[in-house]
Amino acid sequence: MELAIGKLSQIPSGEGRNFAVGVLRVAVFHTHGGQVFATQADCPHKSGPLADGLTDEHSVVCPLHDRAYDFSTGAGLGNECAIKIYPVRATADGTILLTLEAQSTDQKVA
Amino acid sequence: MPKQQLVVIGNGMAGARAVEDLLALGGGEQFDITMFGDEPYGNYNRILLSNILSGIQDASEIFINPLSWYEENNITLHAGSRVVEIDRASHKVLTANGIKAHYDKLLIATGSRAFLPPMKGSLGANGGLREGVFAFRTIDDCNGIMQTAKASKRAAVIGGGLLGLEAARGLMNHGCEVHVIHLGKHLMDAQLDTTGGAILRASMEKMGITIHLQKATTEILGDDKVTGLAFKDGSTLECDMVVISAGIKPNAEIGHSAGLTVERAIVVDNHMRSVDDMNIYVVGECAQHRGKVYGLVAPLWDQAKVFAEHISKTNIDAAYNGSKLATKLKVMGVELASMGITEPVEDRDETIQFTEAKRGTYKKLIVRDGRLVGGILMGDISKAAFLMQAFDRDSPLPDERLGLLFDLGTPSQKVTFDEMPADAQICNCNGVSKAAIGACVADGKRSAKAVMAATRAGMGCGSCKGLVNEVVDWFCGGATEEDPSVHYYVPCIPMAKPELVKAIREQGLKSVSAVFAALAIDGKPDAASKPALASLLITLWNEAYEDERDARFINDRVHANIQKDATFSVVPEMPGGITTPAELMRIAEVAVKYDVPLVKLTGGQRIDLVGITKEDLPKVWADLDMPAGWAWGKSYRTCKSCIGTDYCRFGLGDSMGLAKKIEAKFRGIDSPGKLKLATAGCPRNCSEAMVKDIGAVAIGNDKWEIYVGGAAGSAVRKGDVLCTVDGEDAVMKITGRFTQWYRENAKYKERTHTFIERVGIERARAVLVDDSEGIADALDTAIDASCAAVKDPWKERTAPKTENQFASLLPAEV
């Protein structure tokens, strides 16, 4: 089920913000190119705030120890951690629609 | 073959060096080595004693070989054991404390002691120097001088030679009035002529030292305590301590009592053996070779080498042929090089001279038959390396004499290294040639540091370190093929920093996303490269930079330093570590109001409020009502200071005032790495200015030494002296100029200590002080523009730059 959690304009271009969805915290990213991604809020390595990380069009880098993750798969890039990815999209009027069932994150990158 | 017993009398620089050289030739296989030393220490670098006295170095820093070195090399060391007898018939030595040792071969390296000119009242009841009177030869002398100087009002130094002047400088740093008494017509007669001596005298007197020339001291006055000096001309001088530094006297008595030929020192042949006993070698200041006794370190190294080669039979023809005396030194901030004769001797001698007394610059060369036989360089010694080599090698000089005194800007350094002969000496202290460095590089040592560790080049007085760096660079540059990407400024753009800067300027790229689009390999952004590019763009464009907040690391988005639990630390500005009760009360109130979990004093003399949530940041800033301390970014951080002249009884310069000025001007300037600065009011260096990215140390008379490239973090490195300047304005100028040069040329996250080691302090000096590239004005203008563009980011508390800039969690509108 898709939940409208807010507006894309709440997230500056290229950055991320955490949203409180029920008891869950979800990090939502608004890339410089206008894409939107949603991931678990905390880095699995040492609980760093991923929403504060640097992003490009396909990944986010945790601000604490520079672990990078792929937005579309959740796989660690150059590290063995992996994060949960939530399906998310923005409507034409900029509403963020989030689906809470996490995509499979079983695959680990060697 | 059973090992022979080698006994070494003397554990100073000469004895230790001779043994090191012998070990390097595999002498450990041939000899069991026993060393006897008078002093209760391992061996240390006596050249650096003046640094201890000046407070620049600690005694522990000048040891050459720690006690473990003796163990590792199976050397038996008897420290604090004075050898009193050599029995040549039975091949034994005997010490004052009753140790006997058999020898097959003996090395005498007893060195020298201070020469005490005959005068009344210098000795105490025990036959040694009386209380308040010191020589300047040992660590113990230094300790005694430093302790006495503390309680002393006026100190007199007898002897205006090199060591005497260094003692004077050291004493001045301890806060007493200093007088130098010299018998000769001018200072440093061995190295300078009348003009040079006069210029040096003027520089010294400007620094507050009083010089008395042509004065023969006849008596040290005072019954219990020293009260003054009496001179041959009937005059007197009040003083309460005396340092005698009137030359050296070889410790040759042991040779005399053993029946060896002793004139001024123990007479040796070309193999450095006593002329009377082929089993006894003598090196250093206690040896007399062809009528000469050498008191400098370079001849000693040559002698030690001859000893080692000869005794180990690796070269039975090894011969010492005397040394030509050339020396490079720094007396009280005046750089000086001297070689050979100081005045023309023969009619055919040609003198080339340049004098600019006001600036303390003096250059004089004496040329005979187209070859250099003498020279003095003061103030500007940039040509010293070339001239000392020409002097040492007796090589013909170019006809163009002007070029001998000045860099006329023609031959580049590279050409010089190409042309430099393989056996040219790079490190004079340790006798390391260009070829030896080349061999070491070829052997896989690819950093200056590794080369220095392996060859000891640069490990003596340290003055050649820059040159060693350059030579290593030159060898590496010619011989290594590197992966080009290690030189890229960021991994996704195949350009080194200079090319990248050029492309950005030419294409007018003012934002990080514009740079990616135009220059990245795939035209796409790369998260990890963003902050590096942001830092570069702000440096290049200042106010015209198109700031994209997502290109910044989180710290730079919220102007605070992120902690492990996603909270932040807040450090308000506190220039020089100076605060007020009102500020402290506000800080305390904030800490209470926001329940700040940790209040911590930082290493940069500030107060850190740690554990503040992102939401609270703007409120905390508002309540503090202090400017940002910039404690989060790759930028100018802070300038520490000591008390300086306001209250400190030793202060020579207003370090607090200067720190405030520096912080007011440079705060918040972006740079490739953190910039931590300090100012020190005197060379005691309480604010640790010598281990800062940039440090200014007052040395008196409104002069400041500027150190750059210091570090005391993950790397520990003493900064290099970039230059000595007059006045605080000049400190500001050079600080800005260095900062801008570093901003434009350093790699991202390359701190100044790595940067300086990469580019070399000599190059830095050439570019920033001598303006060899003609860019000084441009650097000054650029840094001023950057400083003007910096705004206090904590003002964003009332005008956030982005949506939800300070929110760590947004409620979902479900």
Side-chain angles (χ1 to χ4, degrees):
Chain A
M1 185 186 72
E2 283 188 324
L3 297 172
I5 57 167
K7 295 283 188 191
L8 208 50
S9 59
Q10 289 177 278
I11 311 172
S13 171
E15 297 190 27
R17 291 290 182 268
N18 285 324
F19 285 78
V21 186
V23 293
L24 199 65
R25 284 156 61 246
V26 177
V28 183
F29 298 89
H30 176 196
T31 71
H32 214 94
Q35 303 183 78
V36 55
F37 297 103
T39 71
Q40 69 184 64
D42 297 336
C43 179
H45 172 226
K46 299 263 181 178
S47 302
L50 293 174
D52 284 345
L54 288 155
T55 68
D56 50 33
E57 295 306 312
H58 67 92
S59 66
V60 59
V61 182
C62 174
L64 291 195
H65 306 100
D66 293 340
R67 302 227 162 184
Y69 301 95
D70 189 294
F71 275 142
S72 46
T73 64
L77 301 171
N79 71 80
E80 296 195 1
C81 297
I83 54 172
K84 282 195 195 87
I85 299 298
Y86 301 97
V88 67
R89 66 189 177 95
T91 62
D93 72 345
T95 303
I96 303 168
L97 297 173
L98 178 77
T99 306
L100 268 191
E101 299 87 66
Q103 284 187 336
S104 165
T105 57
D106 292 341
Q107 71 266 37
K108 281 201 174 180
V109 175
Chain B
M1 195 173 119
K3 284 194 192 179
Q4 288 193 297
Q5 301 293 319
L6 170 65
V7 167
V8 181
I9 307 176
N11 183 36
M13 295 177 79
R17 178 56 176 233
V19 170
E20 271 182 20
D21 283 355
L22 177 58
L23 291 172
L25 295 175
E29 304 295 319
Q30 297 177 44
F31 296 98
D32 277 328
I33 303 173
T34 304
M35 298 183 76
F36 291 91
D38 227 359
E39 290 184 75
Y41 310 103
N43 62 80
Y44 54 86
N45 188 340
R46 212 179 286 280
I47 300 172
L48 299 176
L49 280 178
S50 57
N51 283 357
I52 295 193
L53 192 58
S54 310
I56 296 171
Q57 280 183 309
D58 184 77
S60 63
E61 292 173 50
I62 71 165
F63 282 93
I64 300 168
N65 290 314
L67 290 174
S68 59
W69 175 81
Y70 298 89
E71 245 170 70
E72 283 157 19
N73 290 292
N74 294 317
I75 297 167
T76 310
L77 171 67
H78 297 285
S81 295
R82 169 194 284 267
V83 171
V84 289
E85 194 186 325
I86 301 170
D87 183 346
R88 285 167 57 200
S90 65
H91 280 223
K92 279 195 170 48
V93 299
L94 174 69
T95 71
N97 51 355
I99 301 172
K100 265 190 193 163
H102 167 79
Y103 70 82
D104 297 306
K105 300 283 179 190
L106 182 67
L107 173 63
I108 302 177
T110 43
S112 66
R113 60 182 180 273
F115 166 66
L116 302 176
M119 63 181 81
K120 281 189 228 164
S122 59
L123 302 182
N126 61 358
L129 288 172
R130 67 185 275 194
E131 204 180 316
V133 180
F134 300 90
F136 181 40
R137 286 293 291 169
T138 63
I139 288 188
D140 289 342
D141 290 339
C142 271
N143 288 338
I145 292 172
M146 287 193 282
Q147 282 194 352
T148 308
K150 276 181 204 157
S152 196
K153 287 205 181 78
R154 185 189 270 182
V157 177
I158 300 179
L162 167 61
L163 271 177
L165 297 183
E166 291 199 327
R169 162 191 169 215
L171 281 164
M172 207 178 66
N173 287 350
H174 291 280
C176 40
E177 186 188 325
V178 181
H179 290 250
V180 172
I181 322 297
H182 190 52
L183 189 59
K185 285 184 184 160
H186 61 81
L187 295 173
M188 290 181 64
D189 342 36
Q191 291 90 5
L192 297 180
D193 63 355
T194 315
T195 314
I199 292 175
L200 183 61
R201 177 185 186 168
S203 307
M204 302 274 221
E205 293 198 325
K206 252 195 239 167
M207 292 178 208
I209 291 182
T210 313
I211 312 277
H212 307 264
L213 297 177
Q214 292 179 279
K215 285 262 186 198
T217 311
T218 50
E219 185 173 358
I220 298 178
L221 303 171
D223 293 332
D224 297 334
K225 291 193 169 167
V226 172
T227 57
L229 297 177
F231 305 112
K232 201 172 173 187
D233 60 12
S235 59
T236 58
L237 174 77
E238 270 185 38
C239 66
D240 47 17
M241 76 178 284
V242 179
V243 175
I244 302 177
S245 180
I248 57 167
K249 187 175 166 62
N251 290 324
E253 290 79 358
I254 189 80
H256 199 267
S257 66
L260 304 177
T261 304
V262 176
E263 292 171 5
R264 280 193 298 146
I266 304 170
V267 180
V268 297
D269 63 14
N270 288 352
H271 301 308
M272 299 313 295
R273 285 182 310 193
S274 157
V275 290
D276 308 289
D277 189 331
M278 56 185 290
N279 290 316
I280 300 182
Y281 291 80
V282 188
V283 297
E285 292 166 331
C286 58
Q288 177 179 327
H289 176 262
R290 293 186 196 165
K292 280 190 177 163
V293 178
Y294 296 95
L296 289 170
V297 72
L300 189 162
W301 294 162
D302 295 341
Q303 297 176 358
K305 196 166 167 229
V306 169
F307 155 79
E309 288 180 357
H310 193 261
I311 196 172
S312 65
K313 299 200 171 70
T314 40
N315 175 11
I316 53 165
D317 295 323
Y320 177 66
N321 291 308
S323 298
K324 294 179 99 179
L325 292 182
T327 177
K328 201 160 78 168
L329 44 104
K330 198 171 155 188
V331 194
M332 306 201 55
V334 181
E335 289 200 282
L336 189 66
S338 153
M339 59 212 93
I341 56 177
T342 59
E343 294 289 354
V345 181
E346 298 179 22
D347 284 347
R348 58 192 166 137
D349 289 355
E350 170 193 355
T351 306
I352 303 149
Q353 205 163 329
F354 171 81
T355 317
E356 197 184 358
K358 207 167 172 194
R359 290 188 59 192
T361 309
Y362 178 52
K363 305 179 181 196
K364 173 177 174 181
L365 302 178
I366 302 166
V367 178
R368 185 179 299 163
D369 301 335
R371 286 165 164 81
L372 193 60
V373 292
I376 297 167
L377 299 174
M378 289 178 74
D380 168 19
I381 62 162
S382 53
K383 299 295 284 183
F386 169 76
L387 291 171
M388 286 168 83
Q389 192 187 312
F391 168 74
D392 190 54
R393 302 171 52 80
D394 211 19
S395 51
L397 297 172
D399 290 336
E400 161 71 290
R401 299 287 195 244
L402 198 57
L404 296 174
L405 293 182
F406 302 100
D407 266 320
L408 300 174
T410 26
S412 76
Q413 197 96 66
K414 190 162 176 101
V415 176
T416 310
F417 286 135
D418 278 334
E419 289 171 353
M420 185 188 271
D423 59 347
Q425 190 140 304
I426 304 296
C427 170
N428 290 323
C429 287
N430 288 318
V432 183
S433 65
K434 176 186 164 194
I437 291 179
C440 194
V441 170
D443 197 31
K445 308 274 191 307
R446 301 230 161 244
S447 71
K449 225 176 178 170
V451 169
M452 286 181 187
T455 61
R456 300 182 67 89
M459 309 291 269
C461 69
S463 67
C464 67
K465 270 186 188 166
L467 184 61
V468 175
N469 267 312
E470 288 175 32
V471 175
V472 173
D473 262 5
W474 181 79
F475 274 114
C476 285
T480 53
E481 283 298 327
E482 281 176 311
D483 174 359
S485 72
V486 302
H487 297 297
Y488 297 169
Y489 181 70
V490 289
C492 66
I493 300 175
M495 292 180 189
K497 186 165 177 176
E499 289 168 75
L500 179 60
V501 167
K502 192 158 169 268
I504 289 171
R505 285 212 168 109
E506 280 174 3
Q507 300 182 36
L509 306 171
K510 297 200 172 66
S511 71
V512 172
S513 46
V515 172
F516 284 129
L519 303 175
I521 295 171
D522 55 5
K524 289 184 180 151
D526 169 52
S529 302
K530 285 177 166 183
L533 292 173
S535 164
L536 180 59
L537 290 174
I538 184 126
T539 301
L540 296 179
W541 298 114
N542 297 322
E543 275 155 329
Y545 162 62
E546 287 165 21
D547 183 14
E548 292 164 322
R549 286 294 167 112
D550 65 294
R552 300 182 177 201
F553 184 61
I554 184 65
N555 287 5
D556 293 294
R557 293 183 196 162
V558 299
H559 321 302
N561 202 339
I562 191 165
Q563 305 297 307
K564 61 185 274 187
D565 60 354
T567 63
F568 292 85
S569 88
V570 170
V571 180
E573 183 177 275
M574 205 168 274
I578 302 150
T579 182
T580 62
E583 276 179 354
L584 287 173
M585 281 191 273
R586 283 207 301 282
I587 292 169
E589 279 162 12
V590 164
V592 171
K593 180 172 171 188
Y594 295 93
D595 205 11
V596 173
L598 177 68
V599 181
K600 170 92 176 67
L601 299 185
T602 71
Q605 300 183 334
R606 312 196 284 181
I607 296 176
D608 194 355
L609 303 171
V610 190
I612 295 179
T613 64
K614 210 194 261 177
E615 280 78 5
D616 281 343
L617 288 172
K619 294 180 248 172
V620 165
W621 298 335
D623 289 347
L624 283 174
D625 194 23
M626 291 166 74
W630 300 93
W632 60 81
K634 306 278 173 263
S635 68
Y636 169 96
R637 289 291 187 87
T638 181
C639 186
K640 293 171 67 165
S641 75
C642 62
I643 300 270
T645 43
D646 279 15
Y647 289 91
C648 177
R649 65 200 163 102
F650 299 122
L652 300 170
D654 179 14
S655 50
M656 289 198 295
L658 181 57
K660 281 186 182 174
K661 273 192 212 168
I662 287 175
E663 186 127 330
K665 170 151 186 183
F666 297 107
R667 60 180 164 212
I669 283 286
D670 284 275
S671 57
K674 290 184 273 197
L675 284 171
K676 296 179 169 183
L677 281 66
T679 58
C682 83
R684 279 177 193 73
N685 194 27
C686 294
S687 54
E688 297 148 9
M690 293 169 194
V691 289
K692 291 291 165 190
D693 293 290
I694 305 172
V697 179
I699 56 171
N701 204 31
D702 206 23
K703 283 188 187 298
W704 297 81
E705 279 182 340
I706 307 218
Y707 287 79
V708 295
S714 57
V716 178
R717 179 179 192 271
K718 189 179 167 195
D720 297 306
V721 178
L722 179 63
C723 55
T724 303
V725 298
D726 281 304
E728 295 181 0
D729 289 347
V731 177
M732 298 292 289
K733 177 138 278 188
I734 289 290
T735 299
R737 196 177 291 169
F738 173 78
T739 302
Q740 185 64 18
W741 194 56
Y742 165 66
R743 295 173 84 208
E744 291 183 7
N745 293 287
K747 300 170 187 172
Y748 189 60
K749 291 192 183 174
E750 180 180 39
R751 291 288 298 271
T752 60
H753 66 92
T754 342
F755 173 68
I756 274 293
E757 287 194 351
R758 175 163 67 83
V759 298
I761 184 64
E762 303 204 329
R763 165 124 193 276
R765 217 174 272 143
V767 173
L768 303 173
V769 184
D770 304 331
D771 196 12
S772 61
E773 294 178 6
I775 58 169
D777 286 344
L779 291 172
D780 295 348
T781 310
I783 192 71
D784 286 350
S786 289
C787 290
V790 172
K791 294 189 177 65
D792 181 2
W794 285 4
K795 294 272 160 63
E796 286 171 19
R797 60 186 177 242
T798 51
K801 286 283 179 185
T802 58
E803 285 303 310
N804 301 305
Q805 185 177 356
F806 301 106
S808 57
L809 189 64
L810 303 173
E813 301 159 357
V814 198

